[in-house]
Amino acid sequence: MNAVGPALAAVGGLAVAGALAGGLAPARVRPLAAGLCTAGLGAAGVVAGAAALGGARYGVWLPGLLPLAGVRLAVDPLSGLFMAVTGAVTVAVAVYGVGYASPGGGMHGGRGPGDEDAAGSAGGRHAGSDAHEPRDALAAGGGDHGVRSRGAQAVGPVFAGAMVLVPAAGSVSTFLLLWELMALASLLLVLAEHRERPTVRSAGLWYAVMTHLGLVLLLVGLALFAARAGGESFAALRAGAGGMPAGVRGTVFVMTALAFTSKAGLAPLHAWLPRAHPEAPSHVSALMSAAMVNLGVYGLLRVGFDLLGGGPAWWWLLLMGAGALSAVYGILQAAMASDLKRLLAYSTSENLGLVVLGTGAAGLFRAAGDRPLAALALAAALLHVVNHAAFKALLFCAAGSVLRATGLRDLDRLGGLRARMPVTAGLFALGALGAVALPPGNGFVSEWLLLQALVHGLAVPGAAAAVVLPVAVAVIALSAGLAAAVFVKALGVGFFARPRSAGAGRAVESPPAMLAGMALLAACCAALALVPGALGPALTRAVRAAGVGTEKPLADGELGVHLAHTSAALHPLWVALALVAGTAAVAGLARLPARRRARRRDARLWDCGGGAPTARMAYTATSFAEPLQRVFDDVLAPEQDVDVTPVRESAYLVERVRFQRLVPDRIEHRLYRPLLAAVSGLADRARGLGGGSVHLYLGYGLFGLVAVLAALVVGW
Amino acid sequence: MGGLLRKIRGTGRVAEAAPPRPEADPLPAARELGGSVQVRCVDAGSCNGCEIEIGNAFGPVYDAERYGVRLVASPRHADVALVTGPVTRNMAEPLRRTVAAMPQPAIVVAVGDCALDCGEFAGGYGVEGSVVDMVSVDVSVPGCPPEPAAIVTALRTLTGR
Amino acid sequence: MSHGVYAQLLDLACGVFLLCAVVVLWRRELAVVVRVLAVQGAALAAIAAVLGGHERRWGLLVVAAGVGVLRAGVLPYLLRRALDVGAVGGGPYREDVSEGRETRPVVNVAASLVVAALLVLLAYAVARPLVALDPTPATRALPVGLSVVLIGFFALVARRRALAQVVGFLVLDNGITATAFLAASGVPPIVELGVSFDVLLAVLVLYVLTARMRAAFGGTDLDDLRELSDR
Ligand code: SF4
């Protein structure tokens, strides 16, 4: 008897219970009831995942649950890993969500008129192509719409439940059903605040269209796969994949990979992500960015490695290309973003890019026959999934706290939160440390592993490996460097210095439930940063379940990370201790001479002799990003616009200068715009067919019928 | 690049021979500086005549730097404030703050007649007073504008070189 | 009923059936067309009755009677009434449009007949493999049913008057019913009943619609509806 079955049943039951509670409970206890159910189902997901990671396998066919195909569940350690991650994120975010949906928050008070001016005409804004003022960020007051509404509270548990269950699916129909349930539920949640901000609607539209295009690709790809394999259970697919011609396998892989990478937010199919993630209520953003995108990776692994059983090198080179592109592009856009949640969303694109880069490398090594190295690369990718989930959930939650307390997402107008929201600031700093891939953050460990895998991969023969792997190493290094700049910006500009607007000045610390949820995530981050080796056996099992390698990528039984096949080892605990000791020593040394010289004089801050600088003169996120933007001018192609208005009397006296800068998403401009224009052009032309004459319409019908019949005749 | 190098070689050294060290005793406060003086210029409202001469004093011909004087960009780095011009209303407070922002001992050198007694601009509606009225002046360099040599001499009394 | 007689009766009924469809395309007077429709309904009932008699399926005879009442009686009667109302209340101020005649068909009569011939050819060509499956007299008449479907559809496209279109629609439906009878000796009576009821309902709706159109536009030229389009 293993724990997976009952735990999965609990997930399903609690999702339904949560939906009912969210839909029916009175407004006062609604968030609490739904939140508790969600947290419970998350915990059940963790139990199921942990059991599966411990080696338990589980499979069941419930023909009565769904007409025709029935529900088929199959859990192995690979599913277990993703279920555990999703479940853990869900628990923490559900706790956080209870507080997030509770009444209160600083921005409900009157908004000072100074707020408007502070935005100022001279403020150079970086913003996405259609980013509006995100000022009116959160639902005010009543429970009839926004995050507290019946609908949003009822859909939340369904979303979480679907996400936890997706990795447990054991057949194409079950998988697609849960996948679509997850997509629809998240779409509804993204739209929760559509009355507050018009941008939500456009974000929802983008998300709806892209996720459903993905679904169609997935549907066609998997249906093709199932038809060729002669069965739709994963076991049948696995058995049938070997005998399929290479062309079909390639088609299946490319179609599903497109859908999965789009779900994972990889460029160039990322366009929905920087829209939908910022516009969703923050706890939903956390779930989407830390859990849902992972399932894209899960899909890639499941289909690419497990079901198709690996493939030729070009599949994986394609994946590595997409991963590398989104790693660099995502972090560059994040560096330009001044909307905190948009920044985090782009960073998600970057991190998933790194994960997919690792996945692609694993496939490449596997295709080259180097199983141990493939296992190492995949283990690194999976560890990065775990790490990213922890720190990104924490960061989005912290951003949500800021949003709730100030009503602002715009870094240029935040600031000074370290004093007003010290706990949130500290937690954000911890998450940012994880995200910058520097020791002692948790992101460092997995990126180090990834680099190890790629560097050792240089021994793999072949021209592709010789060219691609060094480039991939450079990409990881570049993205890590840029990530440092991004999070220094987010933390420094957002939380330090003085408040740049009235909203930021009124901020108060978040309620305990939110802090508790974030603290859970922070604990996860810290544990992952200090003793990642504890995950070693679990990663080994997951990698083995993916069918990539039977060897252990990481040596067991150590707190540090010790690569089993090379001599490399990393002991994050010692690194952290050394860093702490070093910092303490440096700080102590710095104190020494200061103590010796007793004479001190208090002087006012040097302000160039003029009056004290106002908060508006402080370094903003835009200013911080400016040098980087110059360096990457050709890549980013910013659009700027200076508009000088002289006074009426003289052309030389300036009354007003309006400076505006947009850093558009270039992929979007180059790829999506022409496509959309072409589609709407075609649609316009198609309108001409509808002349309004009934005879014309009937004629089309007759013509179609006759044409089909004629084709039949000719065919015979 | 080659052109620049050729120019440097062709021009050679244009600095005038160093005049003898000034007789006057260096200021007691300046003795602490040990012959290395960092100077911050403050234009408190001058006509820029003085600035041109200061520029020349630090140019290749008079080359004040060879006596241990250097221009710096912030009062936080400066030992000496080189103040020119009558002090205009807008510059009165910044001037005081600049001197206050300098590390002790803060030495003030007033350059030009205007700095000493508002010179040409005395009584102007925008003039608050002379530098002497605003801060305590340690060394003064008269002249409208003073010659670079005079400025260099005054600075040499601070470096003692 | 001997086999030979059965085959001849069936062929006769089918011939009349197809001929009526062609005549619907040929004649312009709506009154005549409606009468032809009644004849076609009777021919359809006859097909059903011959089939039922031959195969000794008395349920089919009941269906035949029902079909006959509906398609040779009720529906033509309703159309006739609509026509009379139109003739009385029709727009006298539109000279070129006489409600009783299809004056300006979208496709003129000669071309219509050529097209009808082509459609019949097409139907025969399409049905060839079906006939080859089981060459009985009934299946051999199958192309007739298909031809009538196509001709009815064409009448729907080619006629301007709302009433003429209703006739086209009914011809189309007759064709479908005939195909069903010929291919599978008829659908179960309950389905046939449902379909007939549907058709009756459709005609009633069109009847009302025609009256409304006449009130709104003074005529039932369907091209007037073009103004309702969004362009
Ligand atoms: S002293 Fe003479 S040169 Fe110097 S600022 Fe005054 S007017 Fe100008």
Side-chain angles (χ1 to χ4, degrees), chain C residues 35-155:
Chain C
R35 222 170 293 139
V36 171
L37 185 69
V39 175
Q40 193 184 34
L44 181 61
I47 293 175
V50 169
L51 280 172
H54 178 66
E55 295 172 13
R56 312 217 183 292
R57 287 175 43 194
W58 311 120
L60 209 51
L61 286 183
V62 177
V63 170
V67 166
V69 168
L70 184 70
R71 310 215 171 194
V74 180
L75 295 176
Y77 168 71
L78 280 173
L79 292 180
R80 187 67 219 198
R81 262 193 54 180
L83 198 61
D84 290 345
V85 172
V88 174
Y93 44 87
R94 292 184 63 169
E95 301 147 33
D96 63 326
V97 178
S98 151
E99 280 297 300
R101 273 175 67 83
E102 176 70 46
T103 41
R104 290 183 302 125
V106 177
V107 182
N108 68 28
V109 170
S112 293
L113 291 178
V114 173
V115 170
L118 288 176
L119 290 177
V120 172
L121 277 180
L122 180 68
Y124 269 88
V126 168
R128 230 173 36 197
L130 290 179
V131 175
L133 280 179
D134 178 25
T136 62
T139 43
R140 236 180 256 129
L142 196 59
V144 173
L146 281 179
S147 317
V148 173
V149 170
L150 291 176
I151 292 174
F153 206 155
F154 181 69

Side-chain angles (χ1 to χ4, degrees), chain A residues 526-553:
Chain A
L528 285 169
L530 295 180
V531 286
L535 273 183
L539 287 176
T540 305
R541 285 203 199 89
V543 167
R544 213 174 282 165
V548 166
T550 48
E551 296 82 357
K552 285 181 185 165

Side-chain angles (χ1 to χ4, degrees), chain A residues 599 601 603-612, chain B residues 74-76 93-94 97-98 100-104:
Chain A
R599 216 177 67 197
R601 185 160 68 95
R604 103 189 229 128
L605 188 73
W606 175 237
D607 49 18
C608 291
Chain B
S74 164
R76 288 281 194 232
E93 188 55 30
R97 283 188 191 163
T98 305
M102 284 163 46
Q104 295 300 326

Side-chain angles (χ1 to χ4, degrees), chain A residues 175-477:
Chain A
F175 183 79
L176 286 175
L177 190 80
L178 288 166
W179 185 264
E180 178 60 7
L181 187 63
M182 170 180 89
L184 281 182
S186 58
L187 175 61
L188 289 178
L189 288 172
V190 166
L191 289 174
E193 290 172 351
H194 72 98
R195 292 195 203 194
E196 284 75 34
R197 283 159 296 158
T199 43
V200 173
R201 278 167 231 179
S202 111
L205 189 63
W206 274 87
Y207 180 37
V209 170
M210 291 199 63
T211 190
H212 282 102
L213 284 179
L215 181 75
V216 168
L217 280 173
L218 212 53
L219 190 65
V220 175
L222 289 179
L224 177 66
F225 192 1
R228 287 303 185 107
E232 62 121 25
S233 75
F234 281 177
L237 296 185
R238 214 169 282 140
M244 292 192 333
V248 176
R249 289 160 54 90
T251 314
V252 169
F253 179 76
V254 169
M255 293 187 89
T256 53
L258 276 175
F260 287 135
T261 52
S262 170
K263 183 55 95 184
L266 254 56
L269 298 177
H270 67 291
W272 64 275
L273 190 139
R275 289 186 163 78
H277 286 204
E279 295 302 346
S282 296
H283 59 298
V284 179
S285 315
L287 276 180
M288 288 173 77
S289 231
M292 192 177 75
V293 290
N294 294 344
L295 296 179
V297 177
Y298 169 75
L300 274 180
L301 296 178
R302 178 62 75 199
V303 173
F305 284 121
D306 183 22
L307 300 183
L308 285 170
W314 66 264
W315 293 12
W316 310 109
L317 288 176
L318 223 61
L319 274 194
M320 287 183 82
L325 175 66
S326 35
V328 172
Y329 191 77
I331 200 64
L332 259 182
Q333 287 290 344
M336 295 307 124
S338 59
D339 176 337
L340 183 54
K341 286 179 75 176
R342 196 177 161 86
L343 177 148
L344 293 177
Y346 271 121
S347 149
T348 298
S349 191
E350 177 235 8
N351 281 293
L352 269 290
L354 292 179
V355 170
V356 172
L357 188 62
T359 308
L364 193 65
F365 297 151
R366 191 176 184 277
D370 194 341
R371 293 286 178 122
L373 206 51
L376 175 60
L378 190 60
L382 289 177
L383 185 58
H384 199 62
V385 166
V386 179
N387 280 330
H388 172 250
F391 70 68
K392 191 49 64 70
L394 177 55
L395 287 171
F396 259 116
C397 285
S401 297
V402 169
L403 175 60
R404 187 173 182 279
T406 62
L408 294 168
R409 297 191 323 218
D410 188 354
L411 282 172
D412 286 352
R413 311 176 65 219
L414 285 170
L417 298 178
R418 190 183 50 160
R420 289 179 175 74
M421 310 177 70
V423 183
T424 305
L427 291 169
F428 188 91
L430 199 66
L433 187 62
V436 295
L438 288 176
N442 54 347
F444 169 69
V445 183
S446 41
E447 292 203 22
W448 179 82
L449 269 180
L450 196 53
L451 279 175
Q452 285 291 342
L454 293 175
V455 169
H456 285 100
L458 293 179
V460 170
V467 174
V468 170
L469 295 180
V471 173
V473 169
V475 161
I476 295 177

